[in-house]
């Protein structure tokens, strides 16, 4: 497991300032504009440069899944039905050039994210803010968005369409980072964004393949309790092959001794290797990110309209081989609930169709017989051809083998990644039975359950995630009710209960929750892995 | 000669344009919606529509191709939001996903690809010609067999296996070299070379087999030619026969083939680039295909096409220069 | 064809004319004289037999290619097989696949079917199209030649991968993947063959027996079939020996990029690409497909080389002193082969 | 037979007086599968210092094999060589290292047949000579070697040698290349020059120049000459002694005048008899149909025929304004040096090539494309037959293509044709490589006859054959003319052969016909100076006559 995040205090070889941290990644930071980034809680590298109204709590485990103030003095002050949120900025906030950060800059930053030129961010602002659906961004629509008010340089008021008790979570996304209007040059801004965080971008090569971050002299630790900013310099190198990244981290020679990765998991082969190596095993950080891989049904397609068929499949599934396909028990935990197994999500354990460790084909056959398929049946499972251990061929074959035992012949339909996404997200093309997955935009049941089960979020002409096209008034009503709550603990409990209730309908078969296992270099200290991101937090890492 | 060049260049332009049509056409068949992909996951229909308009994807395929051609010859204007960005001719458009100018993007990626391609090719030729000559001269001997098997390792092993094994051996076990990361030549020539050494070796070894076999057979062929017999009859030593006479005849076809391969490699040695994280055209190409980033795909394909066609011309020229008997 | 002794007093014939081309019987005879070629042919034959007999051998071992054995792998350690040598046991002769526990012996056999089928199919297609286009370019008018030449240029400049990825996406989902691979590799890779054939044809076309056939009233098709195709056998066989292994490697490279055969079908290339990371934790998993692939390539190369020398009239004829006459200069274009997606 | 004694006497005489001694030389070549072919058997010869020996014989008789043995060129080729060979005291079969290098080039230098392929195409000729020179004079500087190369090039008559020494072989004409090879030999000042068919690839006029050059050099430097050739006319004027070979054995040897004048062996006599003589008046073939009827349109009429290859500045005019007529049953010979456009003319007549301008009429009708009634016999019997098809099938091909006959009828007809050209009809299923050159040429003729042509274009039909076979083919063509009333367009560069075959002759030079007329008139009283030069260059069999002609040539050259 990870080392204690608080080892800074009192430890003899505690973390110290200085040195250069290298980040070895496979995906480049090709969009480094706060308007375009789609992150959970402000992202890992972006959060070094962009401060937001709120941010995630940089602590190990469950406390790390909490949201805390960043630029703002608190998590926001809602009105009675949570349709209006007011924030006040801290004192002494400045950009990398020393100019002060104002509430207008944050408003402007949000407005930019509506511009067609800067697409890519999360859709929530558009849905939640009054007038957001029609707003075209500041380039086309100079008037600005009326639902964001800046009564003075320190205050922001957000007016929402409907109650949103989880607004503080949204305010942690990079769209809530300040952008000085004078420095905005549209799509070119990403090359030299103006930093509000501890580091500024001094080089951005090949569209994000290599980023060099150096200290922002105008950042003050006094206004920022979350970011530690130990290294003097951070170099992010991306575009590397995952096998190479892991090999470099395990060899950990030269500059790689002070290297980490924020996007590359250890693969099964590497885990097998590390399993026999104490020294290496000590350099593996384990984390959990709210994520569920599941089998999705489209009940509009026969025979999945029959709940018994769906239940039969739920019984038949062999989670052991699925977990093995995902890289073994170290990389995946079998899931029986749709919500991730974390307190922040309000996880409430249930297993409505117990398949045991390796499946219950007997029970499945029974159900099939009841459903009118005494001689078994043949179904098609759609999956991605990408070798990704989640939605790819490995998982699909594991499912295929498991269902065989229950008399269900599974034909595999592998689709090239784009076609696969199109198939599962385009409501007119949704296959009957396919592999899917869902990750949280922030650690709460809201963004986990609503897009999947809220009947009003069935999207035509865009990306639809409500695969089952569930439109249950009771569910919809409960979602609205929870959204009103501003007590997040209370909300979490009700999300958990809702999940258990929806689970009875067998609209999906939860397969597993992934576990993140990541190597870091031998000189890397102060590893903090929160349940929010599941990944070590660069802002906490020290190399001295 | 000039006539030949003009003719070939015209034909080349035609080939390249055809390529662009083919790629455009193909991408209209490919499933997936570029606007959706450019917009990102979890994009609302309104956002998608916005992006679609901005990328010009709401126009007919023909109109889009027309704009592309227009950009190629006269340049195009784009909005950055705050200003108008003029993309000078030849403008290959803006990337759907990153909004970068494709021409600029290609210029950024080209040095890496070229570094890999030229180095690997030089190595492949050196290894290939060396072993080829050796095995021709020592025909039937033990050395020849050993060399043959060695070069077969190159042919019989996919480049990603070869590269991974080499990297594990040299960087992880022996730790003779650090794990390669690409350093631009302009930044630090020494580091550039050190870091490219392994990719060069990998691709070079992989490619060398072909040249070894070609060299071997053309050396044998040349050694059987009548003029070799002449010099042998005048007491010229075997070393000089091979080095001066046989090689002189055997190398031009090998070098010409090398030029052609170099052209293909300029399109990026995809597997090698992604294995070693070299930010080159090949990786860009694969990524842009995955994102249905048509302008980038077309741009890179055009570069590859141009390189290959140019290489063809160069190969013919090289061959004609080396062997004056060949008329252009 | 039986070899008859030259007519008496004709000690001279061999020296004066172009060397005689060997018939099939001579070819086999010459190959027999080379132990390496025999061994290579034997190895290839064995592989083909093993591939064909895969179901039988699987039954003999008592395993099937797609059955999971979760109990045989260590889930906590990434699914590495329990036991030594990748889980070799009396039940699993070559061990099991990490992660799934599927039987490697049977998967390798079934994999051979797919790999060899794809490679052979693609090669045949490349040869067929290449010969047709090369002949057409070589025999047709100047215009047809340059048109086909440019078309070949377009083809050669098309990055194979782009097309591959696009086509695999375009192809209907139910389309058999091995066939698609054959089609794609085959239809994109004939440029080299066509260049060789064109160059040879241009050379052969100048030979008097072709002119004689035309004078005798033979049309283009007849000339192509009777006078040219037989003479193209040697260069084409030589080329095929190069193409086959290249196509196996291509199949594996495509798998590496996730566009190979569809699971659960095993194929060597696909096994190899998923095995690459296991080289330390489970070396057997890498060594088996790599070894097989290497053996196949080696055997093919040795055999190809042997066939080439056996078909090369000069190899059997005179060396050194003799005069070379009427030699067709294949030239550079004839030697060009398109490199794979390295 | 005491091999020991033979050996001893051979060695003794060799070292004392002779430049070259060969005794009991036997050479076997491997032909695969462990079998060998015997190229030379128990051959002995000697050549005194400064002497000149001609080795003659038909193709494949082992001449080149002997020549190569003198330089030890069979070593490491797999050939089995036995017997003794001494060249200026060195044994080429066993000499090693420096001694072998000294032998090759230093003692004996070789001039090969095909001057184009015998030079490295990639290097300047001067550099090639300099390279060889430096092998034998290791202390000579590069510059000195180059100077030497220029000197020898100048010596063999390359004009502007200093500049031309920088040219590559392909920039030279055939004659200049052959001179270059001789210059290379001279550069090393060898005591023996071995010339293997040094003039076969050249025109008669150039051939005469080269032979004159060799003669002059020999007189000047006193080196020995071993001249290998199948052309008896060539030896007549160039050597003192001659050795006749057949099937790897020596048949006859003696002073050249004696052997050529009064051969002792029947084989030599037959060989001599077969040589066509340019002086002999022809006995024109009288054919039944060949009545020169003025009113009827001629079988073939060619008017202002022109053919250009290539376009623009690269264009070559191969045929330039040729007018010809050919009546039914008539034989028209076309002579001229290499590259004068003979083949191009012939191919245009058959329709294989399309003229750039001008008109071809067959029987008064303008003709386009291929015609069944015009067929062709090609020069090279090897390449004109498909090596992969049985000869019967090759002959049957035109019949099958026509599609008029059944399979059985075709077979009968093919057998008939084979018999007609003097081949065994049972040879139907045999393959070209099982036949001799002459037999293959017969097959080619049979195939040309299959579509029942009225005009046969023969493009050098005999130049690849040795004299005896040549004579047979010429005879066959005459017989066919008589029997079938065929008209012939007979192309050849050998004036003597043309005289034997033709009624009329056209002399071509640089694409144009410079002189045309009945053979006896043209050969007897040539009008054009070019025709006269051609005739003067034809080698004659009589050594005295050869010397006389050489004197004439030198005279006219100096004039
Ligand atoms: N390297 C060789 N391998 C096999 N057979 C050979 C070889 N060289 C020559 N021969 C054979 O040896 C015989 C004599 O050949 P050689 O070349 O000496 O004849 P030649 O008299 O010079 O003929 P030509 O006039 O055609 O040059 C021929 O039958 C020929 O086929
Ligand atoms: N296909 C061709 N392309 C270009 N030039 C050609 C071609 N064929 C012939 N020539 C040229 O035309 C000229 C006449 O050639 P042609 O073959 O008719 O001569 P020839 O009298 O038959 O010579 P030879 O006695 O050597 O056979 C030569 O200069 C030759 O180089
Ligand atoms: Mg000879
Ligand atoms: Mg000719």
């Amino acid at each position: 497991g990870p080392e204690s995040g608080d080892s800074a205090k009192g430890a003899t070889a505690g973390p110290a300032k200085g040195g250069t941290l290298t980040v070895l990644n496979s995906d480049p930071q090709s969009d480094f504009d706060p308007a375009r980034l789609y992150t959970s809680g402000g992202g890992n590298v972006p959060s070094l440069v962009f401060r937001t109204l709120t941010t995630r709590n940089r602590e190990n485990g469950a406390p790390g899944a909490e949201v805390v103030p960043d630029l703002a003095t608190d998590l926001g002050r809602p009105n009675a039905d949570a349709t209006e949120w007011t924030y006040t900025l801290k004192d002494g906030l400045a950009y990398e050039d020393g100019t002060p950060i104002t509430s207008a800059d944050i408003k402007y930053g949000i407005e930019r994210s509506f511009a067609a030129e800067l697409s890519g961010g999360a859709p929530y602002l558009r849905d939640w803010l009054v007038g957001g659906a029609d707003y075209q961004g500041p380039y086309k629509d100079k008037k600005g968005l009326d639902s964001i008010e800046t009564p003075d340089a320190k205050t922001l008021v957000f007016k929402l369409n409907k109650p949103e008790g989880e607004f503080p979570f949204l305010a942690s996304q990079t769209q809530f980072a300040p952008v000085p209007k004078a420095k905005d040059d549209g799509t070119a801004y990403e090359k030299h964004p103006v930093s509000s965080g501890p580091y500024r971008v001094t080089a951005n090569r090949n569209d994000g393949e290599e980023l060099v971050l150096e200290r922002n002299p105008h950042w003050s630790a006094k206004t920022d309790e979350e970011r530690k900013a130990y290294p003097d310099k951070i170099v992010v190198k991306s575009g590397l092959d995952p096998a190479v990244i892991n090999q470099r981290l395990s060899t950990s020679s030269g500059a790689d001794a002070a290297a980490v990765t924020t996007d590359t998991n250890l693969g099964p082969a590497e885990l097998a290797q590390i399993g026999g190596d104490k020294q290496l095993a000590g350099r593996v950080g384990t984390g959990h990110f709210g994520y569920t891989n599941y089998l999705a049904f489209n009940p509009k397609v026969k025979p999945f309209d029959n709940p018994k068929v769906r239940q039969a499949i739920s019984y038949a599934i062999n989670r052991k081989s699925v977990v093995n396909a995902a890289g073994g028990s170290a990389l995946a935990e079998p899931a029986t609930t749709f919500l991730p197994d974390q307190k922040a999500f309000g996880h409430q354990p249930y297993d409505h169709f117990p398949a045991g460790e390796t499946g219950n084909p007997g029970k499945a056959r029974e159900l099939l017989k009841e459903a009118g398929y005494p001689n078994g049946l043949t179904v098609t499972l759609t999956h991605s051809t990408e070798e990704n251990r989640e939605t790819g061929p490995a998982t699909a074959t594991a499912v295929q083998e498991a269902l065989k035992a229950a008399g269900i012949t599974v034909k595999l339909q592998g689709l090239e990644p784009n076609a696969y996404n199109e198939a599962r997200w385009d409501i007119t093309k949704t296959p009957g039975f396919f592999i899917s997955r869902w990750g949280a935009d922030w650690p709460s049941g809201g963004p986990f359950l609503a897009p999947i089960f809220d009947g009003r979020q069935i999207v035509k002409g865009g990306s639809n995630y409500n695969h089952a096209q569930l439109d249950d008034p009771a569910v919809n009503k409960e979602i609205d009710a929870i959204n009103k709550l501003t007590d997040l603990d209370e909300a979490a409990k009700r999300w958990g209960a809702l999940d258990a209730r929806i689970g009875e309908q067998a609209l999906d078969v939860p397969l597993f929750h992934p576990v993140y296992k990541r190597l870091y270099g031998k000189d890397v200290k102060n590893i903090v892995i929160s349940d929010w991101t599941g990944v070590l937090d660069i802002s906490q890492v020290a190399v001295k | 000669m000039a006539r030949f060049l003009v003719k070939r260049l015209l034909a080349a332009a035609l080939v390249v344009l055809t390529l662009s049509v083919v790629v455009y056409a193909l991408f209209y068949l490919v499933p997936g919606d570029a606007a959706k992909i450019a917009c990102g996951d979890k994009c609302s229909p309104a956002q998608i529509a916005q992006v679609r308009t901005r990328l010009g994807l709401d126009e007919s395929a023909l109109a889009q191709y027309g704009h592309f051609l227009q950009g190629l010859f006269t340049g195009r204007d784009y909005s950055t939001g705050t200003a108008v960005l003029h993309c000078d001719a030849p403008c290959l458009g803006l990337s759907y996903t990153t909004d970068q100018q494709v021409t600029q993007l290609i210029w950024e990626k080209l040095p890496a690809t070229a570094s890999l391609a030229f180095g690997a090719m030089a190595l492949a030729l050196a290894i290939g010609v060396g072993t080829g000559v050796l095995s021709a001269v020592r025909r039937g001997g033990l050395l020849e067999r050993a060399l043959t098997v060695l070069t077969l390792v190159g042919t019989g092993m996919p480049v990603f296996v070869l590269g991974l094994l080499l990297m594990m051996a040299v960087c992880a076990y022996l730790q003779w070299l650090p794990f390669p990361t690409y350093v631009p030549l302009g930044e630090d020539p020494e580091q550039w070379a050190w870091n490219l050494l392994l990719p060069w070796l990998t691709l070079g070894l992989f490619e060398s087999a072909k040249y070894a076999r070609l060299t071997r057979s053309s050396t044998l062929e040349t050694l059987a030619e009548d003029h070799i017999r002449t010099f042998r009859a005048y007491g010229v030593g075997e070393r000089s026969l091979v080095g001066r006479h046989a090689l002189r005849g055997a190398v031009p076809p090998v070098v010409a083939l090398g030029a052609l391969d170099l052209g293909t490699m300029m399109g990026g040695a995809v597997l090698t680039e992604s294995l070693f994280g070299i930010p080159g055209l090949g990786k860009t190409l694969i990524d842009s295909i995955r994102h249905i980033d048509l302008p980038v795909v077309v741009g890179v394909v055009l570069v590859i096409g141009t390189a290959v066609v140019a290489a063809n011309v160069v190969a013919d020229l090289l061959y004609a220069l080396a062997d004056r008997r060949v008329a252009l | 064809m039986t070899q008859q002794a030259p007519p008496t007093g004709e000690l001279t014939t061999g020296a004066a004319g172009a060397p005689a081309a060997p018939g099939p019987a001579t070819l086999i005879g010459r190959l027999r004289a080379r132990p390496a070629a025999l061994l290579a042919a034997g190895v290839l034959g064995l592989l083909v037999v093993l591939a064909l007999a895969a179901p039988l051998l699987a039954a003999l071992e008592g395993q099937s290619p797609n059955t999971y054995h979760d109990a045989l792998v260590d889930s906590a350690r990434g699914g590495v097989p329990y036991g030594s040598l990748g889980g070799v046991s009396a039940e699993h002769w070559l061990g099991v696949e990490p992660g799934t526990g599927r039987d490697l012996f049977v998967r390798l056999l079934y994999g051979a079917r797919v790999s060899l089928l794809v490679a052979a199919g693609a090669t045949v297609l490349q040869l067929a199209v290449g010969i047709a286009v090369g002949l057409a370019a070589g025999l047709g008018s100047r215009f047809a030649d340059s048109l086909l030449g440019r078309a070949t240029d377009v083809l050669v400049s098309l990055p194979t991968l782009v097309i591959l990825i696009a086509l695999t996406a375009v192809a209907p989902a139910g389309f058999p993947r091995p066939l698609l691979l054959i089609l794609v590799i085959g239809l994109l890779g004939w440029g080299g063959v066509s260049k060789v054939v064109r160059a040879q044809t241009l050379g052969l076309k100048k030979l008097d027996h072709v002119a004689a056939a035309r004078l005798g009233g033979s049309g283009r098709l007849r000339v192509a079939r009777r006078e040219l195709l037989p003479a193209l056998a040697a260069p084409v066989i030589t080329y095929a020996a190069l193409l086959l292994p290249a196509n196996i490697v291509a199949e594996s490279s495509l798998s590496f990029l996730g566009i190979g055969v569809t699971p659960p079908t095993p194929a060597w290339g696909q096994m190899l690409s998923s095995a690459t990371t296991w080289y330390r934790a489970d070396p057997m998993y890498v060594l088996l497909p790599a070894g097989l692939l290497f053996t196949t390539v080696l055997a093919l190369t040795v055999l190809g080389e042997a066939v080439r020398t056996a078909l090369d009239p000069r190899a059997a004829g005179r060396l050194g002193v003799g005069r070379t006459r009427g030699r067709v200069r294949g030239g550079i274009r004839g030697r060009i082969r398109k490199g794979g997606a390295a | 037979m005491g091999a020991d004694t033979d050996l001893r006497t051979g060695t003794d005489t060799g070292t004392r007086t002779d430049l070259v001694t060969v005794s009991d030389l036997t050479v076997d070549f491997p032909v695969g599968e462990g079998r060998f072919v015997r190229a030379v058997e128990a051959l002995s010869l000697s050549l005194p210092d400064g002497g000149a020996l001609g080795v003659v014989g038909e193709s494949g008789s082992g001449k080149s094999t002997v020549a190569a043995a003198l330089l030890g060129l069979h070593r490491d080729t797999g050939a089995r060589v036995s017997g003794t060979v001494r060249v200026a005291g060195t044994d080429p079969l066993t000499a090693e290292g420096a001694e072998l290098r000294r032998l090759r080039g230093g003692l004996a230098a070789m001039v090969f047949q095909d001057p184009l392929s015998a030079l490295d195409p990639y290097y300047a000729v001067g550099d090639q000579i300099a390279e060889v020179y430096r092998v034998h004079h290791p202390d000579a500087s590069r510059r000195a070697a180059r100077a030497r190369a220029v000197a020898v090039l100048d010596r063999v008559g390359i004009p502007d040698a200093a500049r031309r020494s920088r040219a590559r072989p392909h920039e030279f004409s055939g004659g200049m290349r052959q001179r270059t090879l001789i210059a290379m030999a001279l550069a090393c000042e060898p005591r023996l020059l071995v010339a293997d068919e040094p003039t076969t690839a050249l025109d008669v006029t150039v051939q005469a120049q080269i032979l004159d050059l060799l003669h002059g050099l020999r007189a000047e430097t006193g080196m020995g000459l071993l001249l290998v050739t199948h052309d008896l006319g060539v030896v007549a004027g160039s050597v003192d002694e001659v050795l006749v070979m057949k099937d790897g054995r020596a048949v006859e040897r003696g002073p050249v005048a004696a052997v050529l004048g009064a051969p002792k062996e029947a084989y030599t006599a037959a060989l001599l008899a077969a040589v066509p003589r340019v002086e002999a008046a022809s006995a024109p073939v009288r054919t039944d149909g060949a009545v020169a009827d003025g009113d009827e349109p001629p079988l073939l009429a060619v008017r202002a025929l022109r053919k250009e290859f290539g376009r623009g500045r690269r264009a070559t005019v191969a045929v330039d304004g040729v007018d010809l007529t050919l009546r039914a049953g008539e034989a028209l010979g076309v002579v001229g040096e290499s590259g004068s456009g003979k083949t191009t003319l012939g191919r245009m007549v058959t329709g294989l090539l399309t003229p750039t301008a001008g008109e071809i009429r067959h029987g008064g009708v303008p003709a386009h494309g291929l015609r069944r009634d015009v067929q062709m016999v090609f020069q090279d019997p090897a390449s004109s037959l498909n090596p992969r098809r049985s000869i019967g099938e090759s002959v049957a091909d035109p019949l099958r293509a026509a599609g008029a006959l059944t399979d059985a009828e075709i077979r009968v007809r093919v057998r008939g044709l084979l018999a007609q050209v003097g081949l065994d009809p049972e040879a139907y299923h045999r393959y070209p490589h099982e036949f001799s050159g002459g037999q293959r040429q017969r097959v080619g003729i049979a195939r040309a006859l299959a579509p029942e042509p009225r005009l046969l274009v023969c493009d050098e039909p005999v130049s690849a054959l040795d004299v005896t076979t040549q004579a047979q083919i010429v005879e066959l063509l005459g017989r066919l003319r008589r029997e079938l009333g065929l008209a012939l367009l007979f192309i050849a560069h050998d004036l003597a052969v043309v005289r034997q075959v033709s009624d009329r002759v056209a002399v071509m030079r640089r694409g144009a016909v410079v002189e045309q007329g009945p053979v006896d008139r043209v050969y007897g009283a040539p009008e054009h100076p070019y025709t006269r030069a051609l005739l003067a260059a034809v080698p004659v069999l009589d050594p005295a006559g050869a010397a006389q002609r050489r004197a004439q040539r030198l005279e006219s050259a100096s004039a």
Side-chain angles (χ1 to χ4, degrees), chain C residues 11 15 318-319 323, chain D residues 29 37 39 59-65 197:
Chain C
L11 203 70
R318 28 208 286 174
L319 293 166
R323 59 168 96 125
Chain D
F29 288 110
V37 98
S59 181
S61 54
K63 308 181 297 289
S64 298
T65 310
E197 313 256 17

Side-chain angles (χ1 to χ4, degrees), chain A residues 36 38 116-117 120 123 126 136 139 185-187 206-207 209 239 241 244 247-248 251 418 422 438 441 465, chain B residues 32-33 37 39 42 47 54 79-82 98-99 108-109 167 172 175 179 181 274-275 277 283 290 292:
Chain A
R36 309 194 65 169
Y38 195 137
E117 289 83 357
R126 207 171 277 267
Q136 297 287 308
Y139 309 140
D185 48 1
T187 51
N206 282 337
D207 198 26
E209 297 246 25
D241 188 83
V244 174
Q247 193 57 52
R248 287 177 67 166
T251 310
N418 282 324
E422 178 124 335
W438 191 251
D441 284 345
Y465 309 107
Chain B
D33 181 344
I37 292 164
C39 193
K42 307 191 189 174
Q47 275 172 300
R54 185 172 63 86
S79 154
T80 65
T82 52
T98 69
D99 281 311
E108 274 169 19
K109 310 277 177 182
M167 192 157 29
Q175 303 211 356
F179 282 93
T181 46
S274 68
L275 190 63
K283 239 163 72 68
R290 294 247 147 102
I292 319 191

Side-chain angles (χ1 to χ4, degrees), chain A residues 181-219:
Chain A
K181 187 171 184 177
K183 295 279 172 65
D184 180 23
D185 48 1
T187 51
Y189 185 69
E190 63 172 14
K191 293 215 186 69
H192 42 76
V194 185
S195 167
S196 51
Y199 297 92
R200 61 201 173 90
V201 180
T202 57
N204 180 343
R205 295 198 189 94
N206 282 337
D207 198 26
E209 297 246 25
E210 184 174 345
L211 284 182
V212 180
L213 308 179
E214 281 171 283
R215 284 197 184 283
N216 169 8
H218 291 277
W219 171 79

Side-chain angles (χ1 to χ4, degrees), chain C residues 1 4 7 10-13 17-18 20 208-209 212 214-218 222 226-227 230-231 321 323, chain D residues 38 59 74 113 347 370 372 375-376 378 383-384 386 388-389 397-398 400 430-431 433-436 447:
Chain C
M1 183 187 102
Q4 283 159 344
E10 286 299 331
L11 203 70
T12 63
T13 47
D208 289 341
H209 68 80
R214 284 181 54 208
L215 265 180
S218 299
R222 199 179 159 85
R226 301 263 171 145
E227 310 294 329
V321 199
R323 59 168 96 125
Chain D
R38 178 148 296 182
S59 181
H74 295 304
Q113 169 178 1
R347 290 193 170 233
L370 303 168
R372 290 180 65 78
Q375 291 295 319
M376 187 150 174
F378 297 88
S383 80
S384 66
N386 188 342
R388 291 172 183 81
R389 299 181 67 194
D397 209 42
R400 293 198 197 285
R430 288 163 63 183
Y431 283 80
H433 73 271
E434 300 172 42
F435 292 89
S436 74
R447 178 183 51 196

Side-chain angles (χ1 to χ4, degrees), chain A residues 24 26 30-31 36 38 108 113-124 126-127 133 135-137 139 184-188 190-191 205-207 209-210 237-241 243-244 247-248 251 253 256 416-419 421-422 425-426 438-441 447 459-463 465, chain B residues 30-33 36-48 50-52 54 79-83 85 94 96-100 104-105 108-109 112 164 167-168 171-173 175 177-184 187 273-280 283-284 287 289-292:
Chain A
L24 304 174
S26 64
S30 61
D31 285 329
R36 309 194 65 169
Y38 195 137
Y108 184 69
S113 72
F114 284 79
E117 289 83 357
L118 301 174
S119 60
Y124 301 98
R126 207 171 277 267
D127 294 345
Y135 184 56
Q136 297 287 308
Y139 309 140
D184 180 23
D185 48 1
T187 51
E190 63 172 14
K191 293 215 186 69
R205 295 198 189 94
N206 282 337
D207 198 26
E209 297 246 25
E210 184 174 345
K237 286 194 176 137
S238 31
L240 299 168
D241 188 83
V244 174
Q247 193 57 52
R248 287 177 67 166
T251 310
S253 61
D256 292 346
E416 183 272 334
N418 282 324
N421 282 339
E422 178 124 335
W425 292 341
D426 185 333
W438 191 251
D441 284 345
V459 183
K460 298 201 167 66
S463 294
Y465 309 107
Chain B
V30 170
D33 181 344
K36 268 189 208 167
I37 292 164
C39 193
D41 287 4
K42 307 191 189 174
C43 224
S44 70
Q47 275 172 300
I48 295 171
Q50 218 179 22
V51 170
R52 197 185 310 283
R54 185 172 63 86
S79 154
T80 65
T82 52
L85 175 107
L94 299 191
Y96 288 167
T97 46
T98 69
D99 281 311
Q100 250 196 319
Q104 185 192 338
L105 184 141
E108 274 169 19
K109 310 277 177 182
L164 207 63
M167 192 157 29
M168 298 321 165
C171 306
Y173 282 131
Q175 303 211 356
L177 283 176
F179 282 93
T181 46
Y182 177 71
V183 178
E187 208 167 275
E273 281 181 7
S274 68
L275 190 63
F276 291 100
I278 297 171
K283 239 163 72 68
T284 310
D287 290 345
I289 297 169
R290 294 247 147 102
H291 292 115
I292 319 191

